[in-house]
Structure formats: C-alpha cells, structure tokens
C-alpha cells in the first residue's frame, strides 16, 4: 500500500478521472438508460402479471362460487324432480289400486248376480221338474184310485165334508 502512495502521480490520476467520467457518461447514455428502461419494463410486466394473477384468482373464486351455486341448484332441482316423480308414481299406483278394486267389486257383483240368476233358474227348473213329477205321480195315484167306483164316492164325500157353505 505504501508503494502506491509513494508512486502517486497527479497526471495519471487526472487521466484516469477523465476516462472514468467519459466511461460513466457513455455508459449512462448508451447502457444505463436501456438497462433501467428494461428493468422498469420488467418491473411493470411483473406487476401486471401479479395483477392478472390476482384477477384470475378472484375470477376463479367467483367461478368456484358460481359452480357451487349451480351444483346446489341442480341438486335441489334433482330432488324436486325425484319428489315429483315419487308423488306421481304413488298417485298412479293409488289410482291403479282403486281402479282394480272398483273393477274387482264390479266383477264380484256381476258374478254374484250371475250366480243368483243361475240359482233362480235352477230352482225354477227343479220346481218345474218337481211339479211335473208330482202331477205325474198324482195322475198315476188318481188313476189307481179312480179305478174303483167306491173309492171315488168316498173321496168326493170327504171333500164335501171339508167344504163349508156360506
């Protein structure tokens, strides 16, 4: 260090100082201004990118909220549709049961009527057959009874006893 202080020359110092000033001026005019402009542009680009990222973040939050709201509405609509479908199904089933019961009751009533009609027809037919048989038996009995003249007179006298004159 002492060697530098002992060898100090004002002329060299003066030229070095002028060269330094010229280098600083040239650098300021051609290098520092473009470097500073580039740094400012980069800083502006970064701040714009951060602002865009913040906007995108806010937009994503908004879209997420919208999606959640749409999903909630879709679920509510689905639940409402399912409830409506269940109610419609229950109504259709109830109507079908009621219709089946009504139709069944009609069929049972028709069957009862048909059975009653068949019963009455059968009874009428039995009565007809019984009366035909009774008449046939009575005819045969009376034919047997009336073959004998004495029995005929006895029957007539018995019948006359039962008849009361007014």
């Amino acid at each position: 260090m002492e060697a530098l202080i002992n060898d100090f020359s004002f002329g060299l110092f003066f030229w070095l100082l002028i060269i330094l000033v010229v280098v600083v001026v040239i650098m300021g005019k051609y290098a520092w201004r473009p470097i500073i402009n580039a740094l400012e542009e980069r800083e502006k680009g970064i701040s714009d990118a951060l602002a865009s990222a913040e906007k995108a973040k806010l937009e994503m939050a908004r879209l997420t909220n919208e999606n959640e709201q749409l999903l909630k509405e879709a679920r509510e609509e689905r639940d409402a549709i399912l409830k409506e479908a269940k109610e419609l199904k229950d109504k259709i089933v109830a109507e079908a049961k009621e219709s089946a019961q009504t139709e069944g009751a009609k069929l049972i009533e028709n069957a009862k009527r048909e059975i009653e009609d068949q019963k009455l027809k059968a009874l009428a037919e039995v009565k007809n057959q019984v009366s035909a048989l009774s008449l046939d038996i009575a005819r045969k009995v009376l034919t047997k009874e009336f073959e004998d003249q004495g029995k005929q007179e006895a029957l007539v006298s018995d019948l006359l006893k039962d008849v009361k004159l007014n």
Side-chain angles (χ1 to χ4, degrees), residues 52-154:
S52 294
E54 187 64 30
K55 281 172 112 178
K57 182 180 174 184
L58 293 174
E59 184 68 17
M60 279 298 273
R62 186 186 66 79
L63 287 175
T64 301
N65 287 338
E66 273 185 31
N67 286 343
E68 288 175 5
Q69 184 66 27
L70 287 174
L71 189 59
K72 181 181 176 185
E73 289 174 5
R75 285 183 181 143
E76 289 173 356
E77 187 175 337
R78 178 203 63 198
D79 292 343
I81 290 170
L82 287 175
K83 181 180 177 186
E84 184 179 328
K86 186 178 186 298
E87 290 172 357
L88 183 61
K89 177 200 72 144
D90 292 342
K91 181 181 175 186
I92 289 171
V93 167
E95 286 175 359
K97 282 182 182 179
E98 183 179 327
S99 174
Q101 287 176 347
T102 304
E103 192 66 30
K106 285 180 184 177
L107 288 174
I108 289 172
E109 187 62 35
N110 288 340
K112 284 181 180 179
R113 239 179 295 148
E114 185 68 28
I115 289 170
E116 191 63 33
D117 290 344
Q118 292 296 327
K119 180 180 168 184
L120 292 175
K121 286 179 184 177
L123 284 175
E125 189 176 323
V126 167
K127 284 181 183 178
N128 287 338
Q129 288 178 357
V130 167
S131 63
L133 257 165
S134 297
L135 287 175
D136 196 30
I137 290 171
R139 192 183 72 225
K140 288 182 182 179
V141 167
L142 287 175
T143 305
K144 270 285 200 211
E145 286 289 320
F146 288 136
E147 286 179 353
D148 184 17
Q149 186 69 26
K151 286 183 182 178
Q152 285 179 9
E153 288 175 6

Side-chain angles (χ1 to χ4, degrees), residues 36-49:
I36 290 174
N37 288 340
L39 288 175
E40 287 174 356
E41 284 181 27
R42 180 167 173 101
E43 183 180 341
K44 184 180 175 190
I46 289 172
S47 64
D48 288 346

